[in-house]
Amino acid sequence: MEPALLITLIVIAVVVIALVIWVWTTYNRLTKNRIRVDEAWSDITVQLKRRADLIPNLINTVAGYAKHEQRVFEDVTRARSETLQASTPGQASQAENHLQGALRSLFAVAEAYPQLQASNNFTQLQRDLVQTEDKIQSSRRYYNGSVRELNTSIKVFPNNLIAGPFGFHDHEFFDVADRAAISEPPRVQF
């Protein structure tokens, strides 16, 4: 075999091997990023469910003192249901807006009842809700960071040559239309 042909075949083999290694590592990196996004979304849904589980107790506690505020209780219950049914970040964001507004109304009603504010049960529910809201904010930040990393990885060259054919796509951020509604957890200090 001629030395020039042998060198050409070796160069072609090295280029093909390097290309295969690059595709393999890029695919694995994108897959890890996608798994991280899925995991982060799961964390958010766990915290949203935890908060949704606290809300019936909160409603029952407040309802014992403010029986005539049925509309507020219905709004909170409806918003809670919407949160539980949300399956995408966009739906969850919209549900967040509704739930935050409904919880603000509920706590506004509670302010009118000093006996309720002094209740140990209500105080514990307040603490649990604040802790859960903090966990939701933390989970949201982690999720959005993971989405940012995945979306960036998908769009940059040369990764975009691998992302499209292998079915990687942008993920939606967990953002809300009304930032003021979620800029702070519902006020639960009395």
Side-chain angles (χ1 to χ4, degrees):
M1 189 180 277
E2 209 172 299
L5 180 62
L6 183 62
I7 291 173
T8 304
L9 288 176
I10 291 173
V11 168
I12 290 173
V14 167
V15 168
V16 168
I17 291 171
L19 186 61
V20 167
I21 290 172
W22 173 75
V23 168
W24 177 41
T25 57
T26 301
Y27 177 83
N28 285 342
R29 185 174 46 254
L30 292 171
T31 300
K32 287 176 186 176
N33 288 346
R34 182 172 46 194
I35 290 169
R36 188 175 302 124
V37 167
D38 292 343
E39 175 190 13
W41 179 248
S42 178
D43 289 346
I44 288 175
T45 60
V46 165
Q47 295 308 322
L48 293 175
K49 172 87 170 81
R50 182 173 187 266
R51 180 181 57 195
D53 290 345
L54 287 171
I55 290 173
N57 294 331
L58 191 61
I59 290 173
N60 291 337
T61 302
V62 175
Y65 290 88
K67 292 180 173 45
H68 60 284
E69 300 288 347
Q70 190 61 31
R71 184 190 59 76
V72 172
F73 303 136
E74 289 171 358
D75 289 348
V76 173
T77 301
R78 189 177 317 108
R80 175 188 178 268
S81 176
E82 194 177 323
T83 297
L84 288 173
Q85 293 172 0
S87 60
T88 66
Q91 292 171 347
S93 295
Q94 188 174 16
E96 278 294 293
N97 286 336
H98 296 150
L99 185 60
Q100 292 297 327
L103 286 175
R104 280 179 177 44
S105 297
L106 181 67
F107 285 116
V109 167
E111 286 179 0
Y113 298 92
Q115 313 91 325
L116 174 61
Q117 296 171 23
S119 164
N120 287 336
N121 188 26
F122 188 67
T123 304
Q124 183 60 45
L125 286 169
Q126 289 175 32
R127 273 188 239 124
D128 291 347
L129 186 60
V130 167
Q131 288 173 352
T132 302
E133 292 295 333
D134 290 343
K135 289 177 184 177
I136 290 171
Q137 275 189 349
S138 175
S139 296
R140 182 183 297 132
R141 280 191 303 272
Y142 179 73
Y143 172 79
N144 284 338
S146 297
V147 167
R148 182 189 63 244
E149 186 175 329
L150 174 63
N151 290 351
T152 301
S153 295
I154 288 171
K155 290 179 181 177
V156 297
F157 180 82
N159 291 357
N160 59 354
L161 300 174
I162 301 301
F166 283 104
F168 291 93
H169 58 84
D170 284 353
H171 280 68
E172 186 176 4
F173 286 98
F174 185 14
D175 205 4
V176 292
D178 181 8
R179 289 194 176 271
I182 58 107
S183 62
E184 59 185 63
R187 199 182 95 207
V188 293
Q189 297 109 354
F190 295 103

